[in-house]
Amino acid sequence: MAKQIPALTGIRFVAAAAVALSHGGGLFLQGPSLGLDISVGTLGLLGMSVFFTLSGFVIQYNYGSSIVGSPRKAIPDFLVARIARIYPLFIVLFLVELLTGPMVWPWLLGTKAPAEGFSAHLVPFQLGMVQTWFFANIAGVAPVWQYEEVGIVSWSVSTEWFFYLVFPLVCPLLARIRTVPAAVLYAIGAVAIELGIDLMVLMLQGRINLFALHAYGTEAALPNWKNTLILWIVYFSPFCRVWEFVLGCCLARLHEVWSAQDLRPSRALLDIATVVGVGAIGWVFWFTAHKPPFGASMSLFDIARNNIALSAPVALILVAAAQPSSTVGRLLSAKWLVFLGEASFALYLIHIIIFRRFPVVRWETASQLLGHLGALALAFALATCAAILLHFGFEVPARRRIRGAYQAASAEQRRLLVRLGTVGFAALVGAAAAYALRNATGDAITQSGISVVSGTYGGNCRWMSARGNTTDALAEACNGKSECTFRTEVARIADPAPGCAKEFAVVWFCKRDRSIRSSSAPDAHATSSALQLSCNNVARDD
């Protein structure tokens, strides 16, 4: 058994807290500050980058050598250990929401079910933990946004599960790393591959959006924030983000090579790496808050910010944190932080359930903001306490029972269990794939004239909560027409930022058009704005 590194457990709580505070900020800190809005969102991106890179480090450190040495025995043991770690708490919370949520109660009461966001077709996605493996439009939204609180955060469970299945294939390559330069080169290669994916998405984003429009409808094209195909590719899908996991694996091999050769990097060098990593993360936050929010197209920074732009500097911090002589290693090894880090997975899954039990209100003054910060602190404390109870009261006992039962089984019983699990999982993946891909080659654009993709009033003032706030009204007024003039009015559309000179931005598509059209207009009076949409002179394929 590899020697435990307490700092890596401590940083797990930092990552979970970053995600929790990001979600809490979106609920408790709604107000007129665009910079605060964007920074809160970026905090969540940072937390996920820490999780994925750290996961690679921990998995390689704990299981890499055993899988390379005895793969036939170690791989099933590894997968059972991973299932025991993540599945019990995830599936219990998912089933609780499934049985108490808005899909079941309307059926029991004989009332109409919600029109968007809930479908029985998602159950195979969630049970197999493959909801991020396929892009789909189910009941109006992508699978990663289904089933309220647990469904929204459990997308990372699906992505991590993909990492675990890929890991045995990566192990033989990682075993070839026997020197420090080789470990560094492999790590740089992982960063380069993910950056290359980002570059490809940047160059092909127009074609990606057109495909999304035809295959899945306007909800799948930018700049709708939730359901876009591009966001799935660069943020949710495991096929892009697996390289952050591989980066973490390379860092673990670097740590192992140092230990095997009895090399001890100087504290000064490790602290410099930490400062560089923290500085790079700070720059991402600063640059994000000081650039215009992206509209109909995304820059390379907009894309990379969702993945490698934060994972690369996180890697420097992890390298330093794994060494107990470093300053960050000592700080993250604090007993209270390690204790909370043990319950980080429970905190990640439970926090949004607790946060959404509080009322959502806007702040307009500094005193109101202070009060909202107090409410957020209270909600976070409650979520942390609930996570500790869940971890030690359910998560740990369930994990021990599953692993104990597997170890107590005979060799023949284990082989049978592996076969049954493989067949069952393949069936769930097949069902999810069949449903997700059934309409991917169709043409969702059936109407002639204007098809609205998105309308946002005040996106320059409120980056997250304003996104797409005029889409429904704009679609109702303009869809199907060859020309349309739409005027925003605060009486019709909730004002996302009173007193701010808001910009009105619209994006639309015309049947047989080769591009997505966009237009915007500033609002000098901060009360209303108007834009004209047109499908005249549409470029045709013939």
Side-chain angles (χ1 to χ4, degrees), residues 209-222:
N209 286 331
L210 285 176
F211 169 78
L213 279 167
H214 286 292
Y216 302 105
T218 55
E219 286 293 318
L222 285 173

Side-chain angles (χ1 to χ4, degrees), residues 77-315:
D77 290 349
F78 162 69
L79 293 177
V80 169
R82 291 295 88 201
I83 291 174
R85 175 70 178 86
I86 64 176
Y87 203 70
L89 184 60
F90 157 69
I91 202 64
V92 165
L93 291 178
F94 167 69
L95 290 176
V96 166
E97 278 216 309
L98 178 63
L99 297 175
T100 61
M103 193 183 81
V104 174
W105 283 110
W107 176 73
L108 292 175
L109 300 175
T111 57
K112 187 177 180 180
E116 179 183 278
F118 298 92
S119 170
H121 293 98
L122 184 71
V123 174
F125 288 77
Q126 293 277 9
L127 292 179
M129 295 187 291
V130 296
Q131 60 266 41
T132 60
W133 293 22
F134 308 97
F135 184 84
N137 189 331
I138 302 178
V141 295
V144 293
W145 298 105
Q146 297 267 353
Y147 290 119
E148 291 188 300
E149 291 88 353
V150 173
I152 289 174
V153 298
S154 67
W155 70 267
S156 66
V157 176
S158 171
T159 302
E160 287 265 9
W161 179 230
F162 180 87
F163 298 167
Y164 301 153
L165 295 176
V166 168
F167 178 65
L169 303 177
V170 177
C171 275
L173 295 175
L174 296 171
R176 298 180 181 181
I177 300 176
R178 294 184 175 88
T179 64
V180 171
V184 173
L185 186 62
Y186 271 59
I188 293 174
V191 172
I193 290 173
E194 187 154 346
L195 185 59
I197 295 173
D198 291 342
L199 283 168
M200 289 181 60
V201 171
L202 173 69
M203 293 185 292
L204 299 175
Q205 65 176 306
R207 295 186 179 184
I208 292 172
N209 286 331
L210 285 176
F211 169 78
L213 279 167
H214 286 292
Y216 302 105
T218 55
E219 286 293 318
L222 285 173
N224 286 324
W225 184 63
K226 282 176 45 172
N227 303 316
T228 61
L229 179 58
I230 281 186
L231 184 65
W232 172 78
I233 292 172
V234 301
Y235 185 65
F236 295 112
S237 81
F239 312 107
C240 175
R241 307 209 67 172
V242 70
W243 299 105
E244 296 170 60
F245 176 82
V246 173
L247 172 61
C249 293
C250 296
L251 301 180
R253 286 297 296 146
L254 174 62
H255 180 81
E256 291 167 350
V257 169
W258 272 340
S259 299
Q261 298 179 0
D262 199 25
L263 296 175
R264 293 181 175 84
S266 68
R267 177 181 172 183
L269 180 62
L270 296 172
D271 289 349
I272 289 173
T274 303
V275 170
V276 172
V278 171
I281 292 170
W283 177 84
V284 171
F285 273 80
W286 182 89
F287 190 76
T288 303
H290 288 81
K291 65 180 290 294
F294 61 82
S297 62
M298 300 173 71
S299 67
L300 179 60
F301 176 82
D302 294 326
I303 295 170
R305 165 180 171 272
N306 286 285
N307 46 63
I308 204 63
L310 288 166
S311 291
V314 163

Side-chain angles (χ1 to χ4, degrees), residues 361-383:
V361 291
R362 286 177 53 88
W363 64 274
E364 300 293 343
T365 65
S367 60
Q368 290 175 338
L369 175 60
L370 187 62
H372 288 207
L373 287 171
L376 174 57
L378 174 61
F380 181 78
L382 291 174

Side-chain angles (χ1 to χ4, degrees), residues 416-457:
L416 178 61
L417 182 62
V418 170
R419 293 192 191 103
L420 291 175
T422 302
V423 172
F425 178 68
L428 288 173
V429 172
Y435 187 78
L437 302 176
R438 75 196 191 288
N439 293 326
T441 57
D443 191 347
I445 305 298
T446 57
Q447 67 184 8
S448 299
I450 296 168
S451 292
V452 171
V453 176
S454 178
T456 297
Y457 180 57

